[in-house]
């Protein structure tokens, strides 16, 4: 149901149409469900995510990182695009750089920016140690990126405040979100959000 998942599906389908072999690492969620509708779905790899529980979101992120990073390091690929859910995946670039070959290029498609989103939501302060540590993780990741795909000019300006931002021409491109398809209605009995109230 998420626009992010649907846009990733659009990109995967278009790349397959052009003759590329595409693999997608996704959690077991609506992201993965939409990916399964793509042509040659057997070439799309899903990463299982832990079942929801207390602290579920953080646990899910940690589970995804632990499963995705070895796969990123061991699979044969020439281009990899990482998104921003779960957050701090740019750090994967730094963790896997020892295993990457020169021709393997890594790009960051920024749907959200963490920890800036946490500051905007009032969850952490910009002056806090946790904010500085999380931003440092992004700095490390950016130092190994071959390029960034940003959603808009304001987001790009915020990214350019990072000390390790690559100012080379062509490092960043702007690609506004294009998904305006309606979200399918989820009836009340099946709506997990309503059932939690």
């Amino acid at each position: 149901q998420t626009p992010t998942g649907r846009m990733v599906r659009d990109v995967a389908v278009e790349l397959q149409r052009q003759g590329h072999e595409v693999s997608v690492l996704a959690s077991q969620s609506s992201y993965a469900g939409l990916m399964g509708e793509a042509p040659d779905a057997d070439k799309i790899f899903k990463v299982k995510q832990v079942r929801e529980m207390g602290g579920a979101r953080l646990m899910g992120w940690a589970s995804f990182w632990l499963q995705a990073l070895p796969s990123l390091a061991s699979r044969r690929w020439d281009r990899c695009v990482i998104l921003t859910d779960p957050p701090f995946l740019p750090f994967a670039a730094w963790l896997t750089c020892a295993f990457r070959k020169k021709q393997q290029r890594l790009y960051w498609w920024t749907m959200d920016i963490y920890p800036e989103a946490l500051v905007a939501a009032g969850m952490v302060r910009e002056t806090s140690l946790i904010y500085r540590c999380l931003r440092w993780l992004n700095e490390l990741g950016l130092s190994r990126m071959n390029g960034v795909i940003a959603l808009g000019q304001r987001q790009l300006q915020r990214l350019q405040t990072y000390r390790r931002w690559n100012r080379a021409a062509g490092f960043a491109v702007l690609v506004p979100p294009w998904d305006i398809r309606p979200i399918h209605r989820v009836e009340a009995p099946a709506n997990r959000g309503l059932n939690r109230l």
Side-chain angles (χ1 to χ4, degrees):
Q1 297 276 11
T2 61
T4 302
R6 295 190 294 192
M7 288 191 291
V8 169
R9 178 186 179 276
D10 290 345
V11 172
V13 169
E14 178 59 23
L15 287 171
Q16 287 180 328
R17 189 190 67 77
Q18 292 183 19
H20 299 282
E21 183 176 334
V22 180
S23 300
V24 177
L25 298 174
S27 64
Q28 285 189 326
S29 64
S30 53
Y31 292 87
L34 283 158
M35 292 310 307
E37 298 170 10
D40 299 327
D42 59 312
K43 293 181 181 175
I44 295 190
F45 301 89
K46 300 176 182 67
V47 173
K48 291 185 179 179
Q49 191 174 37
V50 294
R51 196 169 293 208
E52 290 193 8
M53 59 184 84
R57 194 149 197 195
L58 186 58
M59 293 286 289
W61 290 346
S63 173
F64 186 88
W65 292 325
L66 290 173
Q67 295 174 79
L69 293 186
S71 185
L72 184 63
S74 62
R75 284 189 194 279
R76 293 179 57 199
W77 51 273
D78 55 10
R79 300 290 183 272
C80 178
V81 178
I82 60 174
L83 274 69
T84 46
D85 191 3
F88 310 109
L89 277 178
F91 188 52
W94 185 82
L95 285 175
T96 61
C97 65
F99 303 98
R100 285 165 55 198
K101 297 179 172 58
K102 184 174 265 189
Q103 70 271 23
Q104 291 180 313
R105 301 176 70 81
L106 192 61
Y107 300 89
W108 187 24
W109 190 0
T110 56
M111 300 296 172
D112 309 292
I113 307 175
Y114 289 90
E116 286 76 7
L118 300 176
V119 172
M123 298 173 72
V124 299
R125 290 194 306 272
E126 203 164 2
T127 55
S128 66
L129 178 62
I130 185 73
Y131 173 84
R132 293 199 299 270
C133 289
L134 294 176
R135 188 171 165 109
W136 178 75
L137 290 180
N138 275 349
E139 293 275 6
L140 285 177
L142 271 171
S143 70
R144 300 294 181 177
M145 288 289 159
N146 297 105
V148 170
I149 305 155
L151 298 186
Q153 191 63 44
R154 290 289 297 274
Q155 189 185 73
L156 181 59
Q157 288 169 354
R158 188 170 290 273
L159 286 165
Q160 288 171 336
T161 66
Y162 279 82
R163 287 178 298 136
R164 297 195 186 201
W165 180 260
N166 186 333
R167 303 204 176 271
F171 177 72
V173 296
L174 295 179
V175 181
W178 63 83
D179 187 69
I180 56 171
R181 289 164 285 196
I183 295 176
H184 301 298
R185 178 181 175 83
V186 178
E187 299 301 329
N191 190 315
R192 290 185 299 169
L194 285 176
N195 291 334
R196 287 179 181 171
L197 297 177

